[in-house]
Amino acid sequence: ILNVEQSPQSLHVQEGDSTNFTCSFPSSNFYALHWYRWETAKSPEALFVMTLNGDEKKKGRISATLNTKEGYSYLYIKGSQPEDSATYLCAFRRDNYGQNFVFGPGTRLSVLP
Amino acid sequence: NAGVTQTPKFQVLKTGQSMTLQCAQDMNHEYMSWYRQDPGMGLRLIHYSVGAGITDQGEVPNGYNVSRSTTEDFPLRLELAAPSQTSVYFCASSNNFEGQGYSPLHFGNGTRLTVT
């Protein structure tokens, strides 16, 4: 069974702070890494699809990097806002696991006004 | 465009009862899947399908059955509900089959199931 880990489990930041968290995944047989944003009482929504070592993606104040050789991805939020409060999930797809993803347990972010 | 629609949103069952969670998508996605979400754990794959007539087991398939008679629908059936199946269930679909790129998963709004 694949093990995808995320850290920290949760964090609280003040509005305006920048923050980052980590997704760790197996470094072999990499196919893709997804980041999802999951707000309370809603369903997860895709932020980034990352496929190549060294990928950097950006959407507004949120960006992500990918290192497939060492098996990690970072998600950065610049100038956090209360509306950024959510759980951030990463999902790893291996190239010999059909089309299926293994999800990490998530990082729960609370941005305090 | 409705996306992925799950019903019901909430359900309470007694141990031993049966029920079907419905999932439908209108995006013509070949790939569909069911996950369960439990506190402190990531979404865990129950069953998945890569097209009509094709289903396979995921990480936690025991106690669940699926069928895929059409591209649009992928129901999840619990035959003999147990308290261990108390969870939030999500259906997800994608256009992510081989050679077609890396489309993300599109999720339904979830079904909160309690088995007493």
Side-chain angles (χ1 to χ4, degrees), chain A residues 1-2 9 31-32 34 36 38 41-46 48-52 89 91 93 95 97-106, chain B residues 31 33 35 37 40-45 48 50 57-59 88 90 94-99 101-110:
Chain A
I1 296 178
L2 299 177
Q9 184 176 12
Y31 189 87
H34 291 185
Y36 292 85
W38 191 2
K42 295 185 178 181
S43 56
E45 292 185 349
F48 303 116
V49 173
M50 310 187 79
T51 58
L52 297 174
L89 301 173
R93 178 178 162 184
D95 66 2
Y97 188 50
Q99 301 168 40
N100 301 312
F101 288 87
V102 177
F103 280 81
Chain B
Y31 178 84
S33 54
Y35 290 87
Q37 168 71 49
M41 305 184 75
L43 292 162
R44 292 185 293 167
L45 182 66
Y48 68 98
V50 298
Q57 297 180 350
E59 181 185 351
V88 181
F90 286 94
S94 83
N95 194 24
N96 197 19
F97 54 98
E98 301 306 320
Y102 304 89
S103 300
L105 291 167
H106 297 258
F107 286 86
N109 286 329

Side-chain angles (χ1 to χ4, degrees), chain B residues 8-96:
Chain B
K9 289 186 178 180
F10 302 95
Q11 183 70 50
V12 178
L13 291 178
K14 294 183 179 179
T15 298
Q17 287 186 319
S18 301
M19 79 159 296
T20 299
L21 308 185
Q22 301 292 342
C23 175
Q25 53 90 12
D26 61 0
M27 297 172 283
N28 201 33
H29 286 169
E30 293 290 337
Y31 178 84
M32 297 186 73
S33 54
W34 278 101
Y35 290 87
R36 60 179 288 173
Q37 168 71 49
D38 299 295
M41 305 184 75
L43 292 162
R44 292 185 293 167
L45 182 66
I46 303 171
H47 285 285
Y48 68 98
S49 169
V50 298
I54 306 170
T55 64
D56 208 343
Q57 297 180 350
E59 181 185 351
V60 289
N62 292 339
Y64 308 95
N65 292 306
V66 292
S67 60
R68 185 91 180 272
S69 57
T70 66
T71 298
E72 293 77 22
D73 300 299
F74 190 45
L76 178 73
R77 181 150 181 89
L78 286 70
E79 292 292 350
L80 291 170
S84 61
Q85 293 178 304
T86 294
S87 187
V88 181
Y89 293 85
F90 286 94
C91 178
S93 71
S94 83
N95 194 24
N96 197 19

